[in-house]
């Protein structure tokens, strides 16, 4: 079945440091989405990537979709305490929508 | 105005009981989902449903059953609850099965089985 792995599972950074999470799918994805879940909250949509090799930016966040459409990354520049949470990639396969294993980010002030 | 609402927020019950979690969306979406999030934060899809088709993840025990009275509601019924069912359950909805539109999640139901 569909597997979407993310690394690392946990990341602790000092405030101001950069952070990157990587997402790898066992199958080619038509599109990939990224979500953020704050502690105690629910996943909230951040962005969607559709094209091979696509790069999108949202302020300090940079999202990339791999050329083969099987991997993606999220990079945060100069982390802030408000970036704390778990970041998930997700994508459709068939009629199902699978989430990656998630990366939990802790930002130390 | 809440887009995806689920009730209850917390549910504490004993092993062997039967319980239901309700979910409603007012976004006019055609697809609804149930996800289970365990203590390691893994989000595992349980069901996806639109007005034509129910897709069941094959690893979900048949004690779990989705019930959809109409396209705006997808309730989750659980029979004979077990300790391992303790988790946070999220309802979500999207248009077009998530292929080109995001999922909108409810606030979650924390189920504790004792």
């Amino acid at each position: 079945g569909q597997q979407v792995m993310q690394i690392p599972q946990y990341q602790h950074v000092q405030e101001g440091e950069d952070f990157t999470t990587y997402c790898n799918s066992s199958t080619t994805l038509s599109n990939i989405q990224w979500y953020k879940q704050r502690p105690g909250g629910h996943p909230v949509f951040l962005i969607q990537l559709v094209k091979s090799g696509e790069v999108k930016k949202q302020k300090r966040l940079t999202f990339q979709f791999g050329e083969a459409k099987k991997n993606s990354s999220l990079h945060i520049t100069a982390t802030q305490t408000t970036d704390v949470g778990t970041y998930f990639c997700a994508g459709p396969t068939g009629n199902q929508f699978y989430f990656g294993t998630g990366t939990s980010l802790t930002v130390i002030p | 105005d809440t887009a995806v609402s689920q009730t209850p927020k917390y549910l504490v019950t004993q092993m062997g009981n039967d319980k239901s979690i309700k979910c409603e969306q007012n976004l006019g979406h055609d697809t609804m989902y149930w996800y289970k999030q365990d203590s390691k934060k893994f989000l595992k899809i349980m069901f996806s449903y639109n007005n034509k088709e129910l897709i069941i993840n094959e690893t979900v025990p048949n004690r779990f059953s989705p019930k959809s009275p109409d396209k705006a509601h997808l309730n989750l019924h659980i029979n004979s609850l077990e300790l391992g069912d303790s988790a946070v359950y999220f309802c979500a909805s999207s248009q077009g099965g998530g292929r080109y539109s995001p999922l909108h999640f409810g606030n979650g139901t924390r189920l504790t089985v004792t």
Side-chain angles (χ1 to χ4, degrees), chain B residues 14-28:
Chain B
Q14 292 184 326
M15 286 175 55
N17 285 347
D18 302 340
K19 291 293 178 186
S20 293
I21 306 172
K22 295 184 176 182
C23 179
E24 175 182 4
Q25 56 99 0
N26 62 7
L27 296 167

Side-chain angles (χ1 to χ4, degrees), chain A residues 9-10 30-31 33 35 37 39-43 45 48 50 86 88 92-101 104, chain B residues 33 35 37 40-43 45-48 53 55-58 90 97-103 105-108:
Chain A
Q9 187 174 355
Y10 302 99
S30 59
N31 60 289
Q33 298 178 5
Y35 291 76
Q37 183 179 18
H42 59 276
F45 173 77
Q48 174 170 274
V50 179
T86 302
F88 294 95
T93 298
N95 290 317
Q96 293 287 37
F97 200 81
Y98 291 92
F99 278 75
T101 46
S104 290
Chain B
Y33 312 80
Y35 284 87
Q37 187 170 49
K40 293 185 177 180
K41 298 287 189 182
F42 295 150
L43 270 169
I45 188 163
M46 301 177 71
F47 307 100
S48 65
E53 191 175 17
I55 305 295
I56 303 172
N57 186 310
E58 64 273 8
F90 286 101
R99 288 199 174 276
Y100 298 107
S101 67
L103 272 62
F105 282 82
N107 289 332

